[in-house]
Amino acid sequence: MTTAHELVGVWQLEAFHDIDSTGALHEGPLGPEPRGLLFYSADGHVSVTMMRTGPAHGGRSAYMSYAGTWRREGDRVVHTIDVAPEPGWLGTEQSRDLELDGDDLVLHGTSLVGPVQRRVLHWRRIAGDAA
């Protein structure tokens, strides 16, 4: 099992996909080459910022972000949102299944924007120590 300490650091977004009912991956809401940073602090703070690198299309947002606190629960990480562009996100808890392999982190969760959608985000550690 992953410990909380293993997540501390700065992570760069490598891929962001939607998952359909068969488990197949499809382009996520930020296009084929999204950029983003995820910060997990040792004292339990989290910040997530992601953007589309190409033009927005189909009414999809070109930028997503939130910040708050985080905690580990088994093979899940829970983000409690304190700062967000959408008032409806404030105070919510966003639970993510996680897989960690050294400096590679995969988070599985549900969308915050639009219809309920399963999502998978691949992150690569760019700062901090792998445990």
Side-chain angles (χ1 to χ4, degrees), residues 31-87:
E33 297 179 16
R35 293 190 64 193
L37 293 173
L38 167 62
F39 296 83
Y40 284 121
S41 74
D43 66 352
H45 289 88
V46 62
S47 180
V48 182
T49 304
M50 300 177 291
M51 63 179 257
R52 174 181 285 275
T53 57
H57 64 69
R60 290 184 158 187
S61 176
Y63 186 80
M64 295 179 184
S65 69
Y66 65 81
T69 58
W70 69 280
R71 68 180 185 277
R72 294 276 300 117
E73 291 183 352
D75 288 331
R76 299 170 78 82
V77 60
V78 179
H79 299 169
T80 301
I81 299 177
D82 296 324
V83 176
E86 297 292 329

Side-chain angles (χ1 to χ4, degrees), residues 8-24:
V8 172
V10 181
W11 302 82
Q12 179 174 290
L13 185 62
E14 297 289 315
F16 185 170
H17 294 98
D18 288 342
I19 306 170
D20 70 19
S21 60
T22 69

Side-chain angles (χ1 to χ4, degrees), residues 12-13 24 38 44 56 68 72 74 89 91 94 105 108 116 120 124 131:
Q12 179 174 290
L13 185 62
L38 167 62
R72 294 276 300 117
W89 299 0
Q94 303 300 315
L105 173 65
H108 296 265
V116 175
V120 60
R124 177 108 177 123

